[in-house]
Amino acid sequence: MTRLAGMLLLAAFVAPGTARGADVPEGKWWKHPRVAAEINLTSDQVREMDAIFARARPRLIDGKVELEKREGDLQDAIESNADRREIAARIEAAEAARTELQKTRILMVLDMKQVLKPEQWDRLQRLRQEFRQQRRERFGRFLERRRGDRPR
């Protein structure tokens, strides 16, 4: 039971969040033909996005590794029944790593935003909302199918 409680605590406070670094579609969105066409990206803009991403990538990788280490340290502390003070310190370290990674992502997206015209950015935001809505709808349909398979 103690292990289960530890895992639940870890999931509640440390599991990677679903929030993105900023309000843009996931991944290298500027490489997706549909997105590029919808917002009228030029080849120069794509090159600039690639350069921005290339500059940020080492910090993103390091930040992700650091976050995973800190989350592992926290999980180890919880599973070993460390005292409250030690667990609190490891929570702080994990959250500091998460904050630093999020800051890197947001600054990268801010640099990318500067490459786009205002109307391109606005269209990108609308696409993001459409993607999120489609994902929610697919998940809802999945849940409905799962509920339909269960005996009541």
Side-chain angles (χ1 to χ4, degrees), residues 14-82:
V14 184
T18 57
R20 298 291 305 155
D23 293 337
V24 296
E26 296 179 24
K28 291 183 179 181
W29 53 267
W30 63 95
K31 294 283 195 178
H32 293 280
R34 177 180 168 218
V35 174
E38 289 265 352
I39 68 171
N40 296 317
L41 272 183
T42 67
S43 56
D44 287 342
Q45 287 174 315
V46 170
R47 278 192 293 279
E48 287 184 61
M49 298 292 181
D50 283 336
I52 290 166
F53 180 75
R55 285 192 304 271
R57 184 185 341 206
R59 290 187 310 278
L60 291 169
I61 292 168
D62 291 346
K64 186 171 189 261
V65 167
E66 183 66 19
L67 176 58
E68 289 176 2
K69 285 180 186 176
R70 298 301 153 229
E71 287 176 340
D73 291 346
L74 175 57
Q75 184 175 0
D76 292 347
I78 291 169
E79 289 176 0
S80 69
N81 294 318

Side-chain angles (χ1 to χ4, degrees), residues 129-140:
Q129 287 294 82
E130 291 171 17
F131 291 152
R132 289 180 69 199
Q133 182 62 34
Q134 290 169 2
R135 202 169 35 236
R136 271 190 236 119
E137 289 170 4
R138 282 192 308 268
F139 185 67

Side-chain angles (χ1 to χ4, degrees), residues 60-116:
L60 291 169
I61 292 168
D62 291 346
K64 186 171 189 261
V65 167
E66 183 66 19
L67 176 58
E68 289 176 2
K69 285 180 186 176
R70 298 301 153 229
E71 287 176 340
D73 291 346
L74 175 57
Q75 184 175 0
D76 292 347
I78 291 169
E79 289 176 0
S80 69
N81 294 318
D83 67 26
R84 181 182 178 87
R85 194 169 40 105
E86 175 66 21
I87 290 173
R90 293 195 184 187
I91 290 170
E92 289 295 324
E95 290 307 310
R98 185 184 323 282
T99 298
E100 194 59 34
L101 178 57
Q102 188 74 338
K103 178 181 169 185
T104 300
R105 287 178 179 148
I106 291 170
L107 290 173
M108 178 186 71
V109 172
L110 180 63
D111 290 343
M112 289 177 171
K113 180 181 178 184
Q114 301 307 310
V115 172
L116 300 176

